[in-house]
Amino acid sequence: MKKLNLIFLGPPGAGKGTVAKDVVERYGVPHISTGDMLRDAVSAGSELGKKVKSVMDSGQLVSDELLYDLVKDRLSRKDCNDGFILDGFPRNLDQAEDLDKILKELNLNLSGVIFLDVSEDEVVKRISNRRVCPKCSRVYNLISLKPKKDTICDDDGTPLIQREDDKAETVRKRYQIYIDKTSPLIKLYTERNQIVTIDASGTVDKVDEIVFNTLEELRQE
Ligand code: ADP
Ligand code: AMP
């Protein structure tokens, strides 16, 4: 069986984190979300967190140099030897080059890029209804993935919040950054014959099913 060394690509709000969580449950590979890692740094008030907070809140991208170190450190950890999901990285062509370098240095290969394809209107709708638990980071949706009770976390009862960068005025900007900077990666990985496009407009169960089938094929190749 081939390892699942994956990139999840797609606009903000496409459902990358949601599907990744379900893939982690099934295959046990670590989910490396650079957004989550940076948000953790902000919550912890670390040096990194202080550097990136205002950039993140405004919906802009953090510098490539900071991401390089963060991702290299994380991929160097032992748990990535049996597979990983990169979610939110690479986010531009320079970061794709950085990733090539990191993977080479760590003697890792990419198995494939899962591109979650969803329309702008759908991601805006998903993001505006996204709520997160500030304690455990679990992600909900007020329409499609509601918490069991009111707006509190099923796991720890903490009141859910809206991410600062999910506020309406920032969402369209982030989508535009995705189009300008991130979407060229689709062409890059298509040319390398490494991308699988998934119609991610359906329900979470439907998208999970398509992704699981795709991963089974990737494992057999
Ligand atoms: P990303 O990690 O790509 O930014 P998320 O996984 O956080 O996206 O999903 C964005 C929002 O949409 C969340 O509120 C999530 O609960 C919801 N969501 C995820 N997948 C779907 C889906 N297939 N259908 C409807 N809502 C979804
Ligand atoms: P996400 O959780 O993937 O939506 O990311 C939230 C925010 O974290 C982004 O809007 C950026 O400010 C920052 N971020 C996450 N990943 C990257 C990356 N690969 N490059 C630059 N900034 C990033």
Side-chain angles (χ1 to χ4, degrees):
M1 287 279 182
K2 266 183 70 174
K3 284 179 192 164
L4 293 176
N5 294 353
L6 305 168
I7 294 174
F8 277 14
L9 187 63
K16 300 179 295 295
T18 303
V19 181
K21 193 174 138 275
D22 296 335
V23 171
V24 168
E25 242 172 59
R26 175 171 289 220
Y27 292 104
V29 291
H31 172 208
I32 304 177
S33 157
T34 47
D36 282 349
M37 291 164 81
L38 292 168
R39 277 186 292 279
D40 286 347
V42 171
S43 306
S46 68
E47 280 308 307
L48 173 65
K50 284 181 203 148
K51 273 190 211 157
V52 300
K53 182 177 186 320
S54 61
V55 178
M56 289 179 75
D57 283 351
S58 71
Q60 306 285 343
L61 294 185
V62 170
S63 80
D64 294 343
E65 290 71 26
L66 290 178
L67 264 296
Y68 184 94
D69 292 336
L70 194 71
V71 172
K72 188 167 182 198
D73 274 3
R74 183 63 188 87
L75 283 175
S76 306
R77 279 170 40 189
K78 226 175 47 221
D79 62 346
C80 294
N81 281 338
D82 294 321
F84 55 81
I85 302 170
L86 274 174
D87 162 5
F89 183 93
R91 212 118 158 175
N92 59 38
L93 288 168
D94 286 337
Q95 291 185 7
E97 244 179 65
D98 288 343
L99 179 62
D100 289 343
K101 221 184 291 171
I102 292 171
L103 292 177
K104 201 165 171 210
E105 282 171 19
L106 298 176
N107 205 15
L108 295 167
N109 291 311
L110 202 59
S111 335
V113 179
I114 306 293
F115 168 43
L116 298 183
D117 193 13
V118 201
S119 70
E120 177 177 4
D121 284 348
E122 179 64 20
V123 295
V124 169
K125 186 171 150 208
R126 286 184 188 178
I127 289 192
S128 55
N129 289 294
R130 173 160 60 188
R131 295 293 182 274
V132 297
C133 174
K135 190 165 171 209
C136 70
S137 302
R138 182 162 164 189
V139 176
Y140 295 86
N141 191 282
L142 297 182
I143 296 174
S144 55
L145 276 173
K146 290 189 200 173
K148 290 200 184 90
K149 201 169 147 254
D150 304 326
T151 49
I152 59 167
C153 180
D154 292 352
D155 294 338
D156 52 38
T158 308
L160 303 180
I161 57 161
Q162 183 172 40
R163 270 168 53 175
E164 190 57 39
D165 60 348
D166 280 354
K167 305 265 160 82
E169 58 278 16
T170 314
V171 171
R172 296 268 175 195
K173 187 161 94 192
R174 285 166 62 208
Y175 188 80
Q176 196 53 46
I177 292 174
Y178 163 77
I179 294 294
D180 296 342
K181 308 258 192 232
T182 311
S183 70
L185 298 178
I186 300 167
K187 182 162 172 273
L188 174 78
Y189 291 115
T190 302
E191 282 164 2
R192 293 186 184 178
N193 212 7
Q194 283 186 308
I195 202 164
V196 183
T197 299
I198 306 274
D199 173 3
S201 63
T203 61
V204 174
D205 285 350
K206 183 73 208 161
V207 179
D208 275 357
E209 185 192 326
I210 308 173
V211 171
F212 289 156
N213 288 337
T214 304
L215 298 188
E216 278 309 310
E217 280 171 29
L218 276 180
R219 262 158 43 107
Q220 307 298 336
E221 271 172 14

